[in-house]
Amino acid sequence: MVCSGYYIQPPLPANRQKVKKKTVLILNLYCNPQNSAKSADGSHSTVSDEEMQEHYDNFFEEVFVECEDRYGEIEEMNVCDNLGDHLVGNVYIKFKYEEDAEKAVVDLNNRWFGGRAIHAELSPVTDFREACCRQYEMGECTRSGFCNFMHLKPISRELRRELYGRRRRRSPSSRSRRRRSRSRTRRSRSRTHRSRSQSRSSQERRREQRDTSTSADRVSALPQEKEQREGRFGRY
């Protein structure tokens, strides 16, 4: 089946008057570096797939953790990778409780992210499968980013397990598993540290120096590590 390009509104509950909205739509929040990165001469600079995934995972984790810790439990979060004005950079956050979604909208509209004001609103969308582009998921969408169906950008598997497993790790039944996991992690880190210290050579140090000298060319494409550590959320 070929993507027609016509946008279909996700199905709403039959009696929408009695159903409260649990999904928050944050408009144009995500900026894809591959779409906006340019070098000094005006040509587009290249961002590797690894850098792109790392940048996106950092963005997704920061927004997810901030919203869940501040407003309430999140059931699902999706980010649009479309280029059309009505979908570009949109972030959909589905909370478990409608009260949390209402609280998030009020507070987010008084905050900024990455130097830009946040525009949030409640959305009736609860099922994203009917609105997403199936051809995009299979890598066959011919309309690219201008498709009118949602192109939902995936996060890495490791980050998905970490974010959506936070509540399970906090439960009492998982305490013993956490202790075993921490023990394995400490042993693994100790082995990794010894291995790295033994294998470090002058060639690796020269490579690090070259990477440092070329990192300035990617300033316009990727946020600095300091900014990522400190967070990009702010308040008026």
Side-chain angles (χ1 to χ4, degrees):
M1 185 175 72
V2 179
C3 176
S4 63
Y6 292 101
Y7 178 71
I8 298 179
Q9 178 72 17
L12 304 179
N15 191 351
R16 59 183 297 179
Q17 298 296 329
K18 295 184 179 180
V19 178
K20 295 184 178 181
K21 301 174 182 178
K22 300 193 298 182
T23 302
V24 174
L25 165 60
I26 307 178
L27 299 168
N28 313 126
L29 186 68
Y30 174 63
C31 296
N32 190 329
Q34 289 180 329
N35 300 332
S36 58
K38 289 186 177 181
S39 58
D41 59 359
S43 61
H44 284 275
S45 61
T46 58
V47 182
S48 67
D49 293 339
E50 292 78 10
E51 290 174 322
M52 184 66 248
Q53 189 63 52
E54 182 181 1
H55 172 267
Y56 177 63
D57 283 352
N58 290 336
F59 164 84
F60 194 100
E61 181 179 12
E62 182 174 359
V63 175
F64 188 101
V65 172
E66 173 72 14
C67 290
E68 185 169 66
D69 290 347
R70 186 175 293 272
Y71 307 121
E73 183 176 341
I74 293 176
E75 289 188 345
E76 185 179 358
M77 175 171 155
N78 292 294
V79 179
C80 291
D81 199 26
N82 302 68
L83 296 177
D85 293 339
H86 63 297
L87 289 174
V88 59
N90 285 357
V91 176
Y92 292 84
I93 305 176
K94 181 182 176 183
F95 288 90
K96 185 175 183 179
Y97 303 105
E98 56 268 15
E99 294 82 2
D100 295 337
E102 295 171 356
K103 178 175 61 176
V105 167
V106 173
D107 188 69
L108 286 171
N109 280 316
N110 293 310
R111 305 184 67 186
W112 49 265
F113 181 85
R116 298 183 296 125
I118 295 177
H119 300 284
E121 61 186 42
L122 289 174
S123 171
V125 180
T126 56
D127 184 4
F128 295 91
R129 291 187 59 81
E130 295 298 328
C132 68
C133 178
R134 306 296 174 82
Q135 283 71 36
Y136 171 76
E137 295 178 350
M138 297 183 293
E140 300 175 356
C141 181
T142 59
R143 294 181 63 86
S144 186
F146 293 96
C147 175
N148 284 322
F149 288 90
M150 292 181 182
H151 286 188
L152 301 181
K153 190 172 180 62
I155 58 176
S156 63
R157 294 181 179 180
E158 295 78 9
L159 181 60
R160 178 170 295 276
R161 285 196 298 265
E162 178 182 348
L163 293 180
Y164 290 99
R166 299 173 75 206
R167 291 178 294 276
R168 290 194 297 270
R169 291 197 299 271
R170 293 173 182 173
S171 62
S173 60
S174 63
R175 289 177 180 173
S176 60
R177 292 196 297 271
R178 290 206 308 272
R179 287 194 294 267
R180 291 195 296 269
S181 176
R182 286 196 296 267
S183 178
R184 288 194 298 268
T185 301
R186 286 194 296 268
R187 291 196 298 268
S188 176
R189 288 177 178 174
S190 178
R191 290 194 297 268
T192 302
H193 178 73
R194 290 195 299 268
S195 176
R196 287 178 178 176
S197 62
Q198 293 172 359
S199 62
R200 190 169 183 85
S201 64
S202 59
Q203 182 179 2
E204 291 175 340
R205 287 193 293 271
R206 288 194 299 270
R207 187 183 301 115
E208 290 178 358
Q209 293 174 356
R210 289 196 302 269
D211 293 342
T212 302
S213 63
T214 58
S215 61
D217 298 334
R218 298 169 180 167
V219 170
S220 60
L222 297 175
Q224 296 297 308
E225 294 182 359
K226 179 180 179 181
E227 183 184 35
Q228 294 177 358
R229 290 195 302 267
E230 294 177 350
R232 288 167 283 183
F233 276 98
R235 185 177 300 277
Y236 292 128

